[in-house]
Structure formats: C-alpha cells, structure tokens
Amino acid sequence: NAGVTQTPKFRVLKTGQSMTLLCAQDMNHEYMYWYRQDPGMGLRLIHYSVGEGTTAKGEVPDGYNVSRLKKQNFLLGLESAAPSQTSVYFCASSYLERTGELFFGEGSRLTVL
Amino acid sequence: AQSVTQLGSHVSVSEGALVLLRCNYSSSVPPYLFWYVQYPNQGLQLLLKYTSAATLVKGINGFEAEFKKSETSFHLTKPSAHMSDAAEYFCAATTSGTYKYIFGTGTRLKVLA
C-alpha cells in the first residue's frame, strides 16, 4: 500500500506564480487535511475535507484554495505565491471514526523566492 | 478553546537514560490524545493514542504515555533511550464531534552517546 502520497516533493516558485500540490490516498479515508509546518510553530491546519465534494477552512487558510473532486485526492492550490508561504506542507487522512489517527504523507517542501 | 502545550522545544538525554517528553492539553470535553514522531525529512507517524480506554497507553518502539485528567497531562516516556529515538515528537489532540486535530509545537529529542 502506498498510503498517502504527495507530489511534488520539492518546488521552487517565484513570487506571484501559482501551483498545485496533489495528495492521493489509497486507504478509502473520508477525512483529508492539509497542514503547513514551520520551525517552532508545529503543524497548522490550512484546509480540510470531511468527504468528497466538501472542503472547510482551517487555522491558516488565507492564500490557499483546495478541492476534493474525488474521494482519494485532495488538492492544495496557491494562486499567487508569497515568500510567507515558504514551508513544508503535509497532507494527512484519517478514518471516518473520530478517534482515528492521522496518516501523513512525506511532505512537500515549497520555497517562494 | 482546545490547545496543546509541549514543554521544552529541545530535550537531550544520554543513551540508556529515561526519556520524558511533556504534553499538557486544554479541553472542555474529554479529549483523544496522540503522540507522533517525525524523523528527518519524513512525515509524521503515530507512536500511540489515548481514546478513553486505559489511561496508560503503550506504543511502538517501547514508548508509553499516561493520561492524567487531574493534571491535564499526557506525558511520553521511554525507560531507556536509544540513538534511533532521536527525532521530533508531537503531541496532538482532538475531541468527539470535531474533525480537527490540534498539534503542539513539537519537542526535538537528542540522544547523546
């Protein structure tokens, strides 16, 4: 099983460029999440989805958009990248049961110049 | 509001010594609590979880944690540190009825030879 797969793993952007991060899970999980990880700040929730066709804002949603057109995929978009969006981005998914743990991808390191 | 606090962003122990990583939570309802470990350039993986069953929870790699409601704590321990335990550890919480997981800011464990 691949689990949670993120692409790309590394990307360098110039300010103002756009890009999309793709997260794919093969565990049939209902819930999917996008986090960003910055030194000393832990993981902060950007957006999440509780099922196909649904999305919701997390703690730090500004500057990001998401879509969940298929249950197994959760896309994170940056329409106009800013240096403040330089970070490591993690996708995670979990079981429908609410005590289920999160399964994480390996991360996508984004640098915005 | 729910919150998770990890005391000590960096902890150093000698190989073979006790590992103690501290986590305190704030929640108005019974929480579900998790410890995750992150090795360099990898995603987070679950060490153990508390979901209102036994208060002493055993996880992988010899780690365990005890839920203490009176102290609102969920500290992670391991009797004897190994060099391979060097990593960053995150405490996280969620509650029934929400899809959001709140993470602490992480504790980086260094194991000295």
Side-chain angles (χ1 to χ4, degrees), chain A residues 106 109, chain B residues 37-43 84 86-88 108:
Chain A
E106 293 193 348
R109 185 174 295 274
Chain B
V37 60
Q38 184 182 31
Y39 298 104
N41 300 314
Q42 294 187 24
S84 61
E88 189 155 22
R108 188 170 298 277

Short mmCIF file of all heavy atoms in Angstrom, two decimals, chain A residues 106 109, chain B residues 37-43 84 86-88 108:
data_model
loop_
_atom_site.label_atom_id
_atom_site.label_comp_id
_atom_site.label_asym_id
_atom_site.label_seq_id
_atom_site.Cartn_x
_atom_site.Cartn_y
_atom_site.Cartn_z
N GLU A 106 4.73 12.25 3.03
CA GLU A 106 6.12 12.56 3.38
C GLU A 106 6.46 14.04 3.29
O GLU A 106 7.57 14.43 3.63
CB GLU A 106 7.06 11.73 2.51
CG GLU A 106 6.97 10.25 2.81
CD GLU A 106 8.10 9.46 2.19
OE1 GLU A 106 8.83 10.02 1.34
OE2 GLU A 106 8.27 8.29 2.57
N ARG A 109 8.18 20.24 0.13
CA ARG A 109 8.93 21.44 0.55
C ARG A 109 8.82 22.49 -0.53
O ARG A 109 9.27 22.27 -1.66
CB ARG A 109 10.39 21.08 0.81
CG ARG A 109 11.22 22.23 1.36
CD ARG A 109 12.63 21.77 1.72
NE ARG A 109 12.62 20.80 2.80
CZ ARG A 109 12.62 21.11 4.09
NH1 ARG A 109 12.62 22.38 4.45
NH2 ARG A 109 12.64 20.16 5.01
N VAL B 37 5.77 10.81 15.94
CA VAL B 37 7.21 11.01 15.81
C VAL B 37 7.52 11.37 14.36
O VAL B 37 6.89 10.86 13.43
CB VAL B 37 8.00 9.75 16.24
CG1 VAL B 37 7.63 8.54 15.41
CG2 VAL B 37 9.50 10.01 16.18
N GLN B 38 8.46 12.29 14.19
CA GLN B 38 8.88 12.69 12.86
C GLN B 38 10.40 12.58 12.76
O GLN B 38 11.14 13.29 13.44
CB GLN B 38 8.45 14.13 12.56
CG GLN B 38 8.79 14.57 11.15
CD GLN B 38 8.39 16.01 10.87
OE1 GLN B 38 8.40 16.87 11.75
NE2 GLN B 38 8.03 16.29 9.62
N TYR B 39 10.85 11.68 11.89
CA TYR B 39 12.27 11.57 11.60
C TYR B 39 12.63 12.56 10.49
O TYR B 39 11.76 12.99 9.73
CB TYR B 39 12.62 10.13 11.21
CG TYR B 39 12.34 9.15 12.31
CD1 TYR B 39 11.21 8.33 12.27
CD2 TYR B 39 13.17 9.06 13.42
CE1 TYR B 39 10.94 7.45 13.30
CE2 TYR B 39 12.89 8.19 14.45
CZ TYR B 39 11.76 7.39 14.39
OH TYR B 39 11.49 6.53 15.42
N PRO B 40 13.89 12.95 10.39
CA PRO B 40 14.28 13.97 9.41
C PRO B 40 13.78 13.69 8.00
O PRO B 40 13.89 12.56 7.51
CB PRO B 40 15.82 13.93 9.48
CG PRO B 40 16.10 13.50 10.88
CD PRO B 40 15.02 12.50 11.21
N ASN B 41 13.20 14.71 7.40
CA ASN B 41 12.72 14.66 6.02
C ASN B 41 11.65 13.59 5.80
O ASN B 41 11.54 13.04 4.69
CB ASN B 41 13.89 14.43 5.06
CG ASN B 41 14.91 15.55 5.15
OD1 ASN B 41 14.55 16.73 5.16
ND2 ASN B 41 16.18 15.18 5.27
N GLN B 42 10.90 13.30 6.82
CA GLN B 42 9.81 12.34 6.70
C GLN B 42 8.51 12.95 7.25
O GLN B 42 8.52 13.99 7.91
CB GLN B 42 10.13 11.05 7.45
CG GLN B 42 11.29 10.27 6.87
CD GLN B 42 11.45 8.93 7.54
OE1 GLN B 42 10.51 8.37 8.10
NE2 GLN B 42 12.66 8.39 7.47
N GLY B 43 7.43 12.28 6.97
CA GLY B 43 6.15 12.67 7.56
C GLY B 43 6.04 12.19 8.99
O GLY B 43 6.95 11.55 9.52
N SER B 84 18.50 5.66 18.04
CA SER B 84 17.49 5.73 16.98
C SER B 84 16.24 6.51 17.40
O SER B 84 15.37 6.77 16.55
CB SER B 84 17.08 4.33 16.54
OG SER B 84 16.53 3.62 17.62
N ALA B 86 16.28 9.55 18.38
CA ALA B 86 16.49 10.96 18.06
C ALA B 86 15.55 11.37 16.92
O ALA B 86 15.59 10.80 15.81
CB ALA B 86 17.93 11.20 17.64
N ALA B 87 14.67 12.31 17.20
CA ALA B 87 13.64 12.72 16.25
C ALA B 87 12.88 13.88 16.88
O ALA B 87 13.18 14.33 17.98
CB ALA B 87 12.69 11.56 15.96
N GLU B 88 11.86 14.35 16.17
CA GLU B 88 10.96 15.35 16.73
C GLU B 88 9.64 14.68 17.08
O GLU B 88 9.13 13.85 16.31
CB GLU B 88 10.73 16.52 15.77
CG GLU B 88 9.98 17.68 16.40
CD GLU B 88 10.24 19.00 15.73
OE1 GLU B 88 10.66 19.00 14.55
OE2 GLU B 88 10.01 20.04 16.37
N ARG B 108 12.14 18.39 20.08
CA ARG B 108 13.21 17.69 19.38
C ARG B 108 14.06 16.95 20.41
O ARG B 108 14.63 17.56 21.31
CB ARG B 108 14.07 18.66 18.58
CG ARG B 108 15.08 17.97 17.68
CD ARG B 108 15.74 18.94 16.72
NE ARG B 108 14.79 19.56 15.80
CZ ARG B 108 14.36 18.99 14.67
NH1 ARG B 108 14.78 17.78 14.33
NH2 ARG B 108 13.51 19.63 13.89
#
